[in-house]
Amino acid sequence: QLQLVESGGGLLQAGGSPRLSCAASGLAFSTYAMAWFRQAPGKDRGFVAAISWNGGTTNYADSVKGRFTISRDNAKKTLYLQMNNLKSEDTAVYYCASGGASANSSQRAYAYWGQGTQVTVSS
């Protein structure tokens, strides 16, 4: 069983470069692929980025490709999302997910979810 806790959200400036973190507790963190998803107001939760268990494979949604970078530190049991050049359309609750077998973009591939962190981008 894994527990995931996101941090790093808040009221952020457009054009800024914040970093989200997802701290995991429990066993087997390093054996799972992990991902970030987000849910904007009035919309379904959607894929942002995913990373394989060893960081060797990453996968990004077209809307964030080139601006966001997903990474992980297995020794620290932490997943990161570096967000650059924030835009108003990035406003959403960001969730980290774990338990995947590969850097999959489907929510159904992940068994464990955090509670989410709100990112609000002001212009």
Side-chain angles (χ1 to χ4, degrees):
Q1 188 82 10
L2 281 179
Q3 291 186 324
L4 305 172
V5 179
E6 303 94 337
S7 62
L11 180 61
L12 305 168
Q13 290 288 325
S17 299
R19 186 176 75 167
L20 302 184
S21 299
C22 173
S25 60
L27 299 175
F29 172 88
S30 61
T31 65
Y32 292 131
M34 298 191 72
W36 289 97
F37 291 82
R38 67 185 181 184
Q39 186 168 21
K43 296 186 177 181
D44 292 334
R45 188 163 60 186
F47 173 70
V48 176
I51 189 168
S52 60
W53 70 273
N54 64 353
T57 300
T58 56
N59 185 14
Y60 294 93
D62 288 342
S63 58
V64 306
K65 199 172 293 183
R67 295 191 300 123
F68 291 7
T69 301
I70 188 171
S71 62
R72 65 190 297 162
D73 186 332
N74 286 346
K76 294 182 178 180
K77 295 187 177 182
T78 303
L79 175 73
Y80 302 101
L81 184 68
Q82 178 66 49
M83 309 164 71
N84 295 327
N85 190 22
L86 272 183
K87 302 178 180 180
S88 57
E89 52 262 43
D90 295 320
T91 293
V93 178
Y94 283 73
Y95 299 89
C96 74
S98 183
S102 63
N104 201 307
S105 61
S106 171
Q107 295 184 56
R108 287 177 288 184
Y110 300 93
Y112 307 106
W113 292 81
Q115 293 298 307
T117 185
Q118 175 71 50
V119 170
T120 302
V121 183
S122 65
S123 56

